[in-house]
């Protein structure tokens, strides 16, 4: 009987702060489901990328461990998925240097994230900030990833990895799998509760606009009750009703209901009924994950065992690709 090889998915996660509800509903929730949909999943925390901006070392370690614990709490199955911390797999930085030499200055200077971060951190426009796409390409290409789940606004990251892979393959022959972006069919583009025209972000100056996945139930309820809507009171999805549309989107993703079903559910009711209902749905969605997170964080030995055992699993895959790339460019084995 012929064995069908599973396609491989690679996803890297930031570890500079707690995940938001937007991260969870827009990406994380869907990524966990991919484990059971016939893919080989390789997931990691991108702690090396965090070094491009000034940070507190103790906080970075804390957030990295907490992010690892949270993703485990969400349901990452280490029997099915390789889940590691980037800095514990040295092949990432080794391949990144090679890819630096096959990436053009003009390509890097056009990257949106470089422009945005340079504007925000004008006193620290470092070389790592400029060349981070080469490390990101190494993250992807090391694992011969077929797909990289990204939001529509992040396709540029995959596109430059594709360009680098195709350039390298064109010179040296088949070396890297050219990855495809995987744009989720389901999920939510969750906006700020206070400015529904901007994505929810942990860096939002108004913290009432941001829901952390670790917020206490009373905090979640309070923030949703304060969510910006409009002067009407009708729960309906329509142009110009950005605040209400955002809340309906959140409620819909969690409950599985369509916009029409939500409108019918709250027909004749106002925002005073709708906002607490959305908050309660979020609270109940996060409650078991938060409880499991607290258990994992408290068990430091278990947490450390998980990430220490997964680093060699990732290294075993990555080393095969690195050795192949080194041989192609003429480095002595």
């Amino acid at each position: 009987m012929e064995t069908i090889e599973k396609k491989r998915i690679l996803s890297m996660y930031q570890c500079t702060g707690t995940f938001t509800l937007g991260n969870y509903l827009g990406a994380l929730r869907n990524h966990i489901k991919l484990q059971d949909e016939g893919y080989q999943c390789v997931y990691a925390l991108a702690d090396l990328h965090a070094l491009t901006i000034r940070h507190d070392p103790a906080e970075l370690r804390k957030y990295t461990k907490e992010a690892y614990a949270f993703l485990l709490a969400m349901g990452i199955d280490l029997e099915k998925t390789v889940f590691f911390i980037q800095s514990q797999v040295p092949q990432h930085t080794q391949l990144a240097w090679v890819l630096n030499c096959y990436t053009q200055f003009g390509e890097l200077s056009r990257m949106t994230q470089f422009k945005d971060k340079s504007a925000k951190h004008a006193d620290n426009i470092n070389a790592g900030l400029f060349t981070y796409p080469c490390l990101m390409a190494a993250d992807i290409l090391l694992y011969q990833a077929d797909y990289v789940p990204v939001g529509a606004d992040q396709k540029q990251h995959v596109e430059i990895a594709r360009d680098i892979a195709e350039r390298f393959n064109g010179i040296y022959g088949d070396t890297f799998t050219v990855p495809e972006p995987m744009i989720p069919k389901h999920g939510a583009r969750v906006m700020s509760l206070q400015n529904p025209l901007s994505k929810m972000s942990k860096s939002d100056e108004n913290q009432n606009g941001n829901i952390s996945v670790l917020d206490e139930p009373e905090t979640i309820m309070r923030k949703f009750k304060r969510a910006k809507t409009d002067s009407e009171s009708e729960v309906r999805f329509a142009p110009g009703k950005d605040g209400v549309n955002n809340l309906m989107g959140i409620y819909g993703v969690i409950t599985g209901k369509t916009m029409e079903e939500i409108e019918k559910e709250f027909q004749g009711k106002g925002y005073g009924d709708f906002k607490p209902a959305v908050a309660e749905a979020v609270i109940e969605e996060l409650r078991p994950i938060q409880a499991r997170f607290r258990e994992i964080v408290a068990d430091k030995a278990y947490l450390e065992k998980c990430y220490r055992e997964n680093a060699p699993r990732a290294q075993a895959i990555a080393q095969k690709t690195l050795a192949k790339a080194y041989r192609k460019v003429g480095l002595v084995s």
Side-chain angles (χ1 to χ4, degrees):
M1 185 175 182
E2 185 180 353
T3 301
I4 300 174
E5 188 174 343
K6 292 181 179 180
K7 295 292 185 180
R8 182 172 288 159
I9 288 176
L10 184 284
S11 190
M12 306 283 286
Y13 306 102
Q14 291 184 356
C15 49
T16 49
T18 308
F19 296 120
T20 68
L21 182 67
N23 301 140
Y24 172 70
L25 294 181
L28 302 178
R29 196 167 176 256
N30 292 325
H31 295 179
I32 299 299
K33 294 176 182 177
L34 293 172
Q35 296 178 127
D36 301 315
E37 294 180 6
Y39 295 102
Q40 294 181 43
C41 294
V42 179
Y43 296 156
L45 294 175
D47 57 340
L48 291 173
H49 287 286
L51 304 185
T52 59
I53 59 173
R54 292 290 174 260
H55 63 281
D56 181 301
E59 279 194 354
L60 178 58
R61 277 189 290 271
K62 174 178 178 287
Y63 285 140
T64 300
K65 292 178 181 180
E66 286 186 353
Y68 198 98
F70 184 78
L71 286 162
L72 287 180
M74 274 187 58
I76 281 187
D77 185 343
L78 298 180
E79 294 294 320
K80 301 176 182 177
T81 297
V82 179
F83 178 36
F84 63 98
I85 297 172
Q86 180 190 30
S87 61
Q88 297 183 343
V89 181
Q91 289 86 351
H92 286 251
T93 49
Q94 291 173 283
L95 183 61
W97 172 250
V98 175
L99 300 185
N100 268 326
C101 302
Y102 294 86
T103 307
Q104 301 303 302
F105 183 91
E107 290 175 308
L108 296 176
S109 61
R110 288 192 294 272
M111 293 299 290
T112 302
Q113 192 165 336
F114 172 68
K115 294 176 183 177
D116 291 346
K117 285 195 173 182
S118 295
K120 290 180 182 177
H121 307 279
D123 59 337
N124 184 32
I125 305 175
N126 57 73
L129 186 61
F130 187 67
T131 63
Y132 86 91
C134 299
L135 177 57
M136 190 172 290
D139 297 337
I140 298 167
L141 301 181
L142 270 175
Y143 300 94
Q144 305 290 359
D146 297 287
Y147 300 110
V148 182
V150 290
D153 57 339
Q154 298 172 317
K155 280 182 65 179
Q156 190 182 35
H157 297 151
V158 184
E159 287 167 358
I160 193 168
R162 287 173 54 85
D163 291 342
I164 295 169
E166 288 171 346
R167 180 177 299 126
F168 195 98
N169 289 350
I171 297 170
Y172 297 109
D174 183 33
T175 308
F176 300 119
T177 299
V178 179
E180 295 283 347
M182 176 184 274
I183 310 297
K185 295 177 183 177
H186 306 290
R189 191 165 189 265
V190 179
M191 313 305 281
S192 165
L193 299 185
Q194 292 299 311
N195 179 11
L197 296 178
S198 298
K199 280 182 69 175
M200 182 178 286
S201 170
K202 57 197 167 198
S203 60
D204 195 331
E205 290 182 4
N206 186 345
Q207 285 302 298
N208 283 318
N210 166 41
I211 300 289
S212 162
V213 292
L214 297 178
D215 275 347
E216 295 291 337
E218 57 270 21
T219 301
I220 294 173
M221 182 62 73
R222 172 174 51 79
K223 289 181 179 180
F224 271 104
K225 284 183 175 180
R226 294 179 179 178
K228 185 175 180 181
T229 47
D230 51 49
S231 57
E232 299 179 15
S233 60
E234 186 179 5
V235 178
R236 62 187 178 90
F237 195 90
K241 292 176 69 70
D242 302 301
V244 176
N245 294 347
N246 185 38
L247 296 181
M248 291 179 72
I250 293 169
Y251 191 70
V253 169
I254 292 176
T255 63
K257 295 181 179 180
T258 65
M259 296 302 103
E260 292 78 14
E261 288 171 333
I262 296 170
E263 289 174 355
K264 186 174 181 180
E265 180 182 351
F266 292 94
Q267 190 171 10
K269 299 178 181 178
Y271 301 153
D273 293 307
F274 180 52
K275 289 181 181 181
V278 180
E280 196 57 45
V282 170
I283 290 166
E284 291 307 313
E285 174 77 13
L286 295 178
R287 192 186 300 279
I289 300 173
Q290 291 178 344
R292 179 63 180 143
F293 167 80
R294 288 190 289 270
E295 290 175 8
I296 295 172
V297 165
D299 190 346
K300 293 180 181 179
Y302 171 75
L303 180 59
E304 184 173 328
K305 177 177 180 288
C306 289
Y307 62 71
R308 283 192 181 278
E309 289 183 351
N310 272 263
R313 294 175 68 197
Q315 289 173 19
I317 303 169
Q319 183 56 35
K320 291 179 182 178
T321 302
L322 181 68
K324 188 176 184 180
Y326 270 21
R327 186 171 62 251
K328 291 289 183 78
V329 299
L331 300 180
V332 176
S333 174

